């Protein structure tokens, strides 16, 4: 039989997958001789068996627990149910990955009417004994028996009001005794059975409750947010109680070996005298700064300070430790790698390398790439007052305040007046881009993490909260959020890190992109193999991305250049044209604008490659939908409303994503690719004449057959050669395609014969492979996750099993035919750390992501290399 229960003296820090983080660290501290109260750990494997077996313990496990209880009694010299010297224990969870506060705990287990009197007599402190008993009954009733926590709090409040007392610490032993009896009556009434007084029965119930808490709603949500697998289970740690509430020579606290907020190397923490651990965490009483302990109990402080130094050196990471002082004797109850802010993580990693505690590679692996996004955007000040009026998805990080507006046009009007605005929409569309561009932040009622609003906001570096629990009334220019009604001109603040909508203009702190952060990224650049490019459609985005370390542009979406007020008119004129000649004339009017944009982008990316995707969306996206706008358009172009409506109707598509767009549009209207090719090549030649080094890469989207690529490539090359001949200046450029249809992946060998590079458009490839609409997936994906039908959003992190298989086989086939084929990715996955790891393993040359995700990608690409090296070892 496999061993299911380990004494602290039998384990070590390397057994986290079996003993959980808490159990493994308690075992390690015991092995090192630290003052740890004795105890034992029931393994994570038991939890998995328990949950799979309808909440029944595996055979033989409980017998092992009883043996460890007897050993604990022998070690401590105390016994369960012994009225003279009773053993009391804590029962705590301990998962492989730290999940603070997510699962359940029971303290003071072993108390009953006999042992509470024994504790009172032994300590000479009846108040402490009955206070401990009421804590136990309250906690056990809530955690194990499912009695509402509020019922117990109401009873305490009732007694305090009756006795005219404000604080729990003012209640006497007799008052706590009456509260305990009231608690027991509440439990029997609500639970239907008397409270268990046998410590072994209490222990069995507590262990079951802690195992079951692995599946509670908050624990599940926490794991989803932090990407922790749901099948790991939690260990359970049973440990002899030590008491911080025995009077003024006892206390409890939580401390960090460094400041978790700033990363400063200083002992940081809080404590309370005459208290138990939950008093510090729950915020019932205001704790003291750990520095005050130096004056209050200098010997204890000196011992604690020495222990925290040893812990950090041993574990080689910032430690978060819990301690209890029992009548001037210090005990350590837990240590773990401390949670920290992104700013703190970066500073601690760099400092520990300087202190020779860790290597550069270890420092890189200590930082969560997603968290450093926080360092690139303004943040809500930790000192700010927050009134949360709505919650949504944290679609794009940072913080932004402004006056609420409900249309892109209004956003421009208000912004031109010098107002900071937040654009609020049910969901955005490409026609809102101009308004998004001038807004400080975007808030939407619908849409997910990869909706239009989310993707464009991230690309622009704008704060965005999507899919919020608000109801938008665009016509009335207001939205409701619960009891709040927010009208045009009212000021709100968005917290893009948490997905919160806050009332008013909330204080913010600026981003920091220097110092230790730069050092970490330079170390990442030394290690990584993948090049990091950016998705950028404007010179501003290109310059910003280059500042963040981008090594070129992997996706320049040319259609985004058409939404400017002047250009949209010319674009609409082209769409409404009835002959090829009319279309060509309208396109000629657009040509200088496109050329000018490309010139500025080439200038910003001097010496770096720029991948330019020719027009992709269907034409109807460039036309207005409202009747009043159509009337205005008819008047402007000298047409009847009926003519305009007929044209709009003819462009309507039932499923535009699979419709007349991308290469299909250019095959129907080759004059579009001719104009765009001329604009790119003329811009490249103009900038070359000015001494700028240009590397244009021309990309044809949505190819599903090599014949499409052959057809368009022929037109493109003819136009490019014509421009080069006219100007008499040679330009080196390449022609490739965007791999975003399953068929393209399946016939990769044929397409590779014609393409000089591949860029995988994994957004559309995911949509087409799953048959999911990325804008509508939010309606059912959360339910899928809840049922365990899908682990993660395939639009946020690549689905290796399905979409990944298409990519893997496509790359292998293409490289077999053309070994040096340049391969990159330009979908949203290009900025996702887990996806970047996959692209590294697939041998990609580069990933491309929004400017603000470039540093994230640089770090993630380095971590992919380090992981690969470890696996090879």
């Amino acid at each position: 039989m496999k061993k299911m229960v380990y004494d602290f003296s039998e384990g070590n820090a390397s057994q986290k997958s079996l003993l959980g983080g808490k159990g493994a660290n308690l075992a390690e501290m015991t092995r090192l001789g630290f003052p740890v109260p004795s105890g034992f750990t029931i393994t994570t494997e038991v939890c998995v068996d328990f949950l799979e077996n309808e909440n029944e313990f595996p055979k033989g496990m409980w017998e092992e627990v009883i043996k460890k209880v007897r050993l604990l009694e022998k070690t401590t010299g105390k016994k369960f149910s012994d009225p003279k010297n009773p053993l009391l224990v804590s029962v705590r969870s301990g998962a492989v990955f730290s999940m603070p506060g997510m699962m359940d705990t029971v303290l003071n287990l072993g108390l009953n009417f006999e042992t509470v009197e024994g504790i009172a007599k032994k300590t000479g402190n009846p108040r402490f004994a009955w206070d401990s008993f009421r804590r136990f009954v309250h906690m056990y009733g809530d955690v194990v028996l499912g009695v509402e926590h509020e019922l117990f709090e109401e009873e305490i409040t009732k007694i305090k009001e009756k006795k005219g007392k404000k604080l729990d610490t003012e209640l006497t032993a007799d008052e706590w005794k009456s509260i305990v009896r009231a608690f027991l009556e509440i439990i029997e009434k609500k639970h239907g059975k008397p409270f268990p007084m046998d410590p072994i029965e209490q222990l069995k119930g507590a262990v079951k409750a802690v195992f079951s808490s692995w599946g509670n709603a908050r624990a599940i949500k926490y794991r989803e947010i932090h990407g922790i697998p749901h099948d790991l289970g939690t260990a359970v740690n049973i440990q002899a109680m030590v008491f911080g509430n025995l009077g003024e020579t006892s206390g409890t606290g939580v401390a960090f070996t460094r400041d978790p907020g700033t990363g400063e190397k200083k002992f940081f923490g809080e404590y309370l005298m005459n208290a138990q651990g939950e008093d510090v965490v729950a915020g019932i009483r205001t704790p003291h700064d750990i520095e005050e302990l130096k004056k209050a109990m200098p010997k204890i402080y000196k011992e604690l300070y020495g222990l925290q130094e040893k812990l950090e050196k041993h574990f080689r990471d910032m430690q978060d430790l819990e301690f209890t002082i029992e009548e001037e004797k210090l005990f350590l109850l837990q240590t773990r790698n401390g949670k920290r802010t992104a700013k703190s993580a970066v500073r601690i990693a760099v400092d520990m390398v300087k202190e020779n505690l860790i290597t550069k590679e270890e420092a890189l692996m200590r930082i969560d790439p997603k968290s450093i996004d926080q360092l690139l955007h303004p943040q809500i000040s930790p000192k700010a007052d927050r009134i949360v009026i709505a919650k949504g998805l944290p679609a794009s990080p940072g913080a932004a305040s402004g006056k609420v507006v409900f249309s892109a046009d209004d956003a421009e009007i208000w912004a031109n007046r010098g107002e900071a605005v937040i654009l609020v929409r049910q969901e955005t569309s490409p026609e809102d881009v101009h308004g998004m561009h001038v807004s400080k932040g975007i808030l939407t009622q619908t849409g997910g993490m990869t909706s239009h609003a989310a993707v464009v906001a991230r690309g622009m570096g704008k704060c965005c909260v999507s899919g919020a629990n608000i109801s938008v009334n665009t016509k009335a220019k207001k939205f409701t959020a619960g009891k709040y009604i927010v009208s045009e001109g009212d000021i709100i603040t968005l917290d893009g890190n948490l997905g919160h909508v806050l009332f008013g203009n909330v204080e913010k702190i600026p981003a920091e992109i220097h110092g230790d952060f730069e050092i970490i990224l330079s170390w990442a650049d030394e290690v990584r193999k993948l090049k990091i490019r950016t998705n950028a459609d404007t010179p501003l985005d290109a310059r910003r991305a280059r500042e963040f370390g981008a090594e070129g542009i992997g996706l320049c979406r040319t259609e985004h250049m058409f939404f400017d007020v002047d250009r949209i008119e010319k674009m609409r004129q082209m769409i409404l044209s009835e002959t090829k000649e009319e279309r060509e004339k309208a396109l000629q009017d657009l040509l200088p604008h496109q050329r000018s944009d490309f010139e500025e982008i080439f200038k910003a990316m001097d010496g770096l490659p720029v991948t330019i995707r020719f027009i992709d969306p269907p034409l109807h996206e460039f036309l207005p939908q409202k009747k009043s706008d159509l009337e205005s358009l008819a008047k402007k172009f000298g047409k009847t409303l009926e003519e305009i409506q007929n044209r709009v109707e003819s462009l309507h598509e039932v499923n535009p994503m699979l419709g007349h767009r991308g290469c299909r549009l250019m095959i129907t209207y080759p004059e579009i690719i001719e104009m765009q090719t001329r604009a790119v090549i003329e811009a490249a030649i103009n900038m070359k004449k000015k001494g700028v080094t240009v590397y244009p890469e021309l990309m044809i989207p949505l190819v599903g057959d090599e014949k499409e690529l052959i057809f368009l490539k022929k037109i493109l090359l003819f136009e490019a050669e014509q421009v080069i001949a006219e100007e008499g200046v040679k330009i080196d450029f390449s022609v490739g395609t965007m791999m975003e249809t399953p068929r393209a992946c399946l016939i990769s060998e044929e397409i590779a014969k014609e393409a000089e590079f591949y860029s995988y458009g994994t957004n559309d490839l995911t949509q087409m492979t799953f048959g999911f609409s990325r804008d509508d997936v939010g309606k059912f994906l959360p339910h899928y996750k809840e049922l365990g039908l899908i682990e993660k959003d395939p639009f946020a992190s690549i689905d290796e099993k399905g979409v990944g298989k298409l990519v893997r086989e496509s790359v292998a086939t293409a490289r077999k035919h053309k070994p040096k084929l340049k391969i990159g990715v330009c979908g949203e996955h290009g900025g996702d750390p887990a996806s970047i790891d996959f692209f590294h393993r697939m041998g990609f040359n580069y990933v491309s992501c929004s400017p603000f995700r470039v540093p994230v990608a640089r770090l993630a690409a380095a971590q992919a290399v380090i992981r690969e090296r470890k696996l090879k070892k």
Side-chain angles (χ1 to χ4, degrees):
M1 277 179 63
K2 63 184 177 185
K3 190 175 176 66
M4 291 181 274
V5 188
Y6 286 72
D7 189 79
F8 289 167
S9 61
E10 296 175 316
N12 60 63
S14 69
Q15 295 175 293
K16 286 188 178 178
S17 61
L18 184 68
L19 303 178
K22 187 177 294 182
N25 285 349
L26 284 167
E28 186 73 2
M29 288 196 292
T30 300
R31 188 178 68 81
L32 295 168
F34 283 75
V36 175
S38 301
F40 57 90
T41 301
I42 308 172
T43 69
T44 56
E45 292 176 345
V46 173
C47 178
V48 173
D49 286 348
F50 172 82
L51 295 173
E52 288 179 353
N53 196 31
E54 297 182 352
N55 292 2
E56 291 295 331
F57 294 139
K59 188 177 179 182
M61 186 279 282
W62 192 245
E63 287 73 15
E64 281 192 50
V65 169
I66 296 302
K67 284 181 184 176
K68 294 300 182 188
V69 168
R70 300 308 169 215
L71 177 62
L72 186 57
E73 288 176 332
K74 188 176 178 182
T75 305
T76 60
K78 300 176 181 180
K79 285 188 177 182
F80 269 159
S81 298
D82 182 354
K84 292 181 181 178
N85 194 17
L87 172 67
L88 304 184
V89 298
S90 62
V91 182
R92 299 173 186 260
S93 62
V96 178
F97 298 100
S98 177
M99 295 171 56
M102 295 302 109
M103 290 174 291
D104 291 328
T105 293
V106 177
L107 303 178
N108 305 324
L109 188 143
L111 280 169
N112 54 34
F113 284 117
E114 288 75 34
T115 54
V116 72
E117 293 294 355
I119 292 281
K121 191 172 182 181
K122 185 171 183 283
T123 60
N125 190 340
R127 187 200 172 281
F128 153 75
W130 286 97
D131 179 24
S132 299
F133 197 11
R134 70 90 187 178
R135 289 171 186 266
F136 169 55
V137 173
H138 182 165
M139 197 174 280
Y140 197 93
D142 176 18
V143 169
V144 182
L145 304 178
V147 178
E148 295 91 333
H149 161 77
E150 291 75 15
L151 295 175
F152 301 118
E153 289 297 333
E154 287 167 9
E155 190 63 33
I156 294 175
T157 302
K158 191 163 65 176
I159 293 288
K160 284 196 291 192
E161 287 175 354
K162 185 178 178 181
K163 301 292 182 179
K165 296 177 179 179
K166 291 184 179 180
L167 302 174
D168 290 2
T169 50
E170 295 172 351
L171 293 171
T172 65
D174 285 340
E175 286 161 350
W176 282 130
K177 189 182 293 188
S178 65
I179 286 171
V180 167
R181 294 189 186 282
F183 280 6
L184 293 173
E185 287 176 12
I186 289 169
I187 288 169
E188 186 162 359
K189 182 180 178 182
K190 291 290 179 181
H191 181 55
K193 294 178 183 177
F195 186 88
M197 293 297 173
D198 175 19
I200 294 295
E201 188 184 344
Q202 293 171 356
L203 183 61
K204 185 177 281 189
V207 171
K208 285 187 174 186
V210 173
F211 277 153
S212 297
S213 71
W214 174 257
N216 70 36
R218 66 179 185 270
I220 291 170
K221 189 66 179 176
Y222 186 91
R223 292 197 295 274
E224 285 176 358
I225 291 169
H226 295 278
I228 299 171
H230 294 296
D231 59 356
L232 299 178
T234 180
V236 173
N237 299 289
I238 291 101
Q239 189 173 24
M241 285 292 300
V242 286
F243 298 97
N245 55 338
L246 276 169
E248 293 308 315
T249 60
S250 301
T252 187
V254 175
F256 295 82
T257 57
R258 303 191 187 216
D259 188 326
T262 66
E264 183 184 352
K265 189 178 180 181
K266 71 168 189 176
F267 191 33
F268 179 94
E270 296 175 325
Y271 75 99
L272 279 170
M273 299 308 293
N274 195 18
Q276 281 199 325
E278 70 265 26
D279 296 337
V280 178
V281 179
I284 298 166
R285 292 164 57 189
T286 304
H288 307 292
D289 189 282
I290 198 75
E291 281 293 304
E292 292 182 34
L293 188 63
K294 191 189 291 186
K295 298 174 187 174
M297 304 183 84
K299 284 185 180 179
I300 291 291
Y301 180 86
K302 185 178 179 183
E303 183 184 359
L304 181 61
Y305 190 87
L307 290 173
Q308 64 91 23
E309 281 190 314
K310 288 177 184 176
L311 280 171
E312 183 173 275
K313 283 178 182 173
H314 180 75
F315 287 103
R316 301 185 311 118
D317 201 352
M318 180 188 82
Q319 295 299 292
D320 165 4
L321 53 108
E322 293 179 17
F323 65 91
T324 288
I325 306 160
E326 183 181 85
E327 295 183 322
E328 299 189 351
K329 186 175 180 182
L330 179 66
F331 294 93
L332 296 184
L333 306 183
Q334 172 177 303
T335 192
R336 61 188 172 195
N337 294 340
K339 300 286 183 187
R340 62 206 79 177
T341 63
K343 179 182 177 182
S344 174
V346 167
R347 178 171 178 177
I348 289 170
V350 172
D351 284 351
M352 285 190 167
V353 171
K354 291 176 181 175
E355 294 162 25
N356 295 317
L357 268 178
I358 59 175
T359 65
K360 286 182 182 179
E361 288 195 357
E362 286 175 312
L364 290 171
M365 296 305 289
R366 293 275 174 92
I367 300 163
D368 176 7
K370 289 182 179 178
S371 73
I372 65 172
D373 217 6
Q374 298 171 19
L375 300 176
L376 305 171
H377 301 271
Q379 308 296 313
I380 302 291
S381 169
K383 298 176 183 176
D385 292 328
R386 301 170 66 101
I387 301 173
V388 180
I389 62 173
K391 294 180 181 179
L393 296 170
S396 187
S401 300
K403 293 183 177 179
V404 169
V405 294
F406 292 88
S407 76
D409 290 341
D410 285 342
E412 268 198 331
I413 292 166
W414 286 58
N416 287 338
R417 292 187 206 146
E419 301 277 11
V421 297
I422 302 290
L423 177 60
V424 181
R425 305 283 288 157
Q426 285 188 321
E427 168 55 0
T428 62
S429 71
E431 208 168 337
D432 293 317
V433 168
H434 63 291
M436 297 171 78
H437 178 66
V438 298
S439 300
K440 297 296 182 184
I442 297 99
L443 170 64
T444 69
Q445 179 180 326
T446 60
M449 294 292 282
T450 54
S451 63
H452 177 269
V455 172
V456 174
R458 282 197 292 270
M460 291 178 171
K462 306 280 184 182
C463 173
C464 176
V465 175
S466 62
N469 58 334
I470 61 174
S471 179
V472 176
N473 187 331
T474 307
K475 193 176 258 187
K477 295 190 175 182
K478 67 180 181 181
F479 74 83
T480 55
K483 65 179 181 180
Y484 294 94
I485 298 174
V486 180
S487 302
E488 183 181 60
D490 291 345
I491 295 174
I492 62 170
T493 296
L494 303 182
D495 184 340
N497 298 324
L498 297 176
H500 288 177
V501 183
L502 310 173
F503 184 76
N505 189 352
V506 180
E507 183 187 353
K508 287 167 284 295
I509 52 177
E512 293 184 351
I513 332 168
H514 58 268
D516 293 332
F517 186 39
E518 285 183 338
I519 291 170
I520 281 288
L521 291 178
S522 70
W523 292 347
D525 293 341
E526 292 169 12
V527 174
R528 66 182 167 87
K529 293 178 182 176
L530 278 169
K531 295 287 186 182
I532 310 301
R533 298 197 194 182
T534 189
N535 301 340
D537 316 316
T538 66
L540 177 64
D541 282 348
R543 286 191 293 270
R544 180 184 287 142
R546 191 158 189 173
E547 287 170 9
F548 290 159
E551 296 162 302
I553 290 177
L555 177 64
C556 176
R557 293 156 288 206
T558 55
E559 65 272 3
H560 283 192
M561 300 171 174
F562 296 141
F563 285 99
D564 175 87
V565 175
D566 289 335
R567 302 177 196 191
I568 194 72
E569 277 193 24
K570 293 178 174 63
M571 188 65 183
R572 286 169 174 170
Q573 194 166 10
M574 187 275 290
I575 295 166
L576 296 170
S577 297
E578 294 175 7
T579 66
K580 183 179 180 181
E581 289 72 28
E582 286 180 357
R583 278 194 299 276
E584 285 176 337
K585 185 180 183 307
L587 286 166
Q588 282 304 306
D589 289 340
L590 278 171
L591 173 63
H593 296 291
Q594 284 252 289
R595 183 176 59 223
S596 171
D597 283 341
F598 292 138
E599 285 173 353
E600 289 301 310
I601 287 170
F602 287 142
K603 183 180 176 182
M605 285 288 156
D606 186 5
L608 298 174
V610 177
T611 303
I612 296 162
R613 183 184 74 184
F614 288 135
I615 190 168
D616 183 51
L619 294 178
H620 80 269
E621 288 196 6
F622 297 97
L623 295 175
Q625 302 300 315
K626 291 180 186 174
K627 187 179 177 183
S628 57
D629 292 334
L630 293 174
E631 287 172 344
S632 174
L633 201 62
K635 188 176 180 182
K636 195 170 288 180
F637 293 133
K639 294 180 181 290
T640 66
L641 176 61
E642 187 180 6
E643 286 175 317
I644 296 289
Q645 285 175 328
N646 288 341
R647 181 58 175 154
V648 169
E649 182 63 31
S650 72
L651 291 172
H652 173 74
E653 294 182 323
V654 176
N655 193 340
M657 199 270 287
L658 301 177
H660 195 190
R661 52 173 281 232
C663 65
R664 303 157 196 170
L665 193 61
M666 289 180 279
I667 288 168
T668 308
Y669 304 115
E671 50 271 24
I672 295 176
I673 193 171
E674 288 171 353
M675 182 278 283
Q676 292 200 298
T677 301
R678 178 167 284 272
V680 172
I681 302 301
E682 285 182 353
I685 288 171
N686 290 346
M687 296 319 292
K688 186 175 181 179
K689 287 177 180 177
K690 293 181 179 180
V692 175
T693 304
V694 292
Y695 296 108
E697 298 174 345
L698 309 185
M699 184 162 70
I700 295 168
L702 211 69
V703 165
D705 192 290
E706 74 275 16
K707 294 189 185 80
E708 293 171 315
L709 183 55
I710 292 167
F711 179 88
L712 291 172
K713 187 178 172 184
K714 186 178 178 182
I715 297 169
L716 186 159
L717 291 176
F718 179 81
E719 188 70 25
E721 286 162 9
Q722 224 179 358
V723 176
I724 289 168
E726 290 167 10
E727 297 291 334
V729 177
K730 183 172 171 52
I731 285 290
D732 291 323
F733 64 93
S734 56
V735 180
T737 188
M738 200 164 172
M739 300 289 282
E740 49 191 330
T741 68
R743 191 175 191 277
C745 293
L746 293 170
I747 61 163
S748 183
E749 184 177 351
E750 284 76 16
I751 292 176
K753 290 173 186 175
E754 298 299 327
E756 293 174 83
F757 66 87
Y758 278 0
S759 180
Y760 284 85
T762 51
N763 293 352
D764 274 2
L765 187 57
T766 299
Q767 289 197 93
M768 294 188 199
T769 304
F770 269 97
F772 289 170
S773 160
R774 80 175 182 195
D775 288 326
D776 299 316
V777 75
K779 294 175 182 175
F780 60 86
L781 195 64
H783 191 51
Y784 267 46
K785 284 184 180 178
E786 192 180 309
L787 294 172
L789 300 177
I790 198 165
E791 283 187 19
K792 55 189 177 182
D793 182 347
F795 294 103
S797 193
I798 196 161
D799 158 52
E800 288 195 33
K801 193 175 179 181
V803 178
K805 186 177 181 182
L806 274 174
V807 172
R808 186 183 300 112
E809 293 182 0
S810 168
V811 169
T813 304
R815 286 257 170 88
K816 187 178 177 182
H817 177 79
K818 194 179 281 187
K820 293 188 177 180
L821 180 69
K822 186 187 288 184
I823 294 177
V825 61
C826 60
E828 276 296 292
H829 298 112
D832 168 60
S835 304
I836 289 169
D837 187 273
F838 170 77
F839 299 131
H840 167 77
R841 284 183 273 122
M842 292 305 101
F844 275 47
N845 298 97
Y846 69 86
V847 297
S848 188
C849 55
S850 60
F852 280 88
R853 295 179 91 179
V854 167
V856 175
R858 288 165 68 187
L859 177 59
Q863 290 181 344
V865 173
I866 296 166
R867 264 186 229 105
E868 186 178 54
R869 287 175 185 171
K870 285 182 179 178
L871 283 171
K872 284 180 180 177
K873 285 180 183 178

